[in-house]
Amino acid sequence: MSFNEAFKAIADPNRRKILSLLKKGDLTAGEIADHFAMQKPSVSHHLKILKQADLIEDRRVGQHIYYSLNTTVFQDLMSWFYDILQKEGEQ
């Protein structure tokens, strides 16, 4: 996981909204697209960027692909933020 890729991915408000939706549970691309006024290929593009940043994972169930949050990456990011804050507080 690259922090640069993760920060680039969460810089877009649409991708942040996707992450918020997935916080509530796993969803298919179609279910995610229902929450946006954009074409499904655009939603797929955002999902691809989130997946490349390891912020989400996918799994196939029959004909559907379900997307979910990769909480490990969020824990790594939070740990990094915590370390930064701790170092600043120690100075």
Side-chain angles (χ1 to χ4, degrees):
M1 186 252 336
S2 161
F3 283 143
N4 289 341
E5 287 180 11
F7 287 124
K8 181 181 174 185
I10 62 175
D12 183 275
N14 291 312
R15 291 192 284 269
R16 289 194 304 268
K17 184 175 178 181
I18 291 171
L19 294 172
S20 292
L21 291 169
L22 292 174
K23 179 177 69 170
K24 300 171 187 169
D26 299 355
L27 296 170
T28 65
E31 292 169 332
I32 294 168
D34 289 343
H35 295 271
F36 294 91
M38 67 175 82
Q39 299 293 321
K40 288 186 180 181
S42 295
V43 172
S44 293
H45 172 73
H46 288 297
L47 291 170
K48 178 183 174 185
I49 291 171
L50 290 168
K51 191 173 171 193
Q52 287 174 339
D54 288 330
L55 293 171
I56 63 172
E57 300 173 324
D58 64 353
R59 73 179 193 298
R60 182 174 289 279
V61 178
Q63 294 181 346
H64 300 284
I65 298 175
Y66 285 86
Y67 294 89
S68 61
L69 288 179
N70 181 357
T71 55
T72 302
V73 172
F74 285 102
Q75 290 170 347
D76 289 346
L77 285 171
M78 293 307 294
S79 176
W80 179 79
F81 278 120
Y82 181 76
D83 287 347
I84 294 294
L85 293 174
Q86 284 296 101
K87 290 177 184 172
E88 285 184 9
E90 293 172 0
Q91 295 178 2

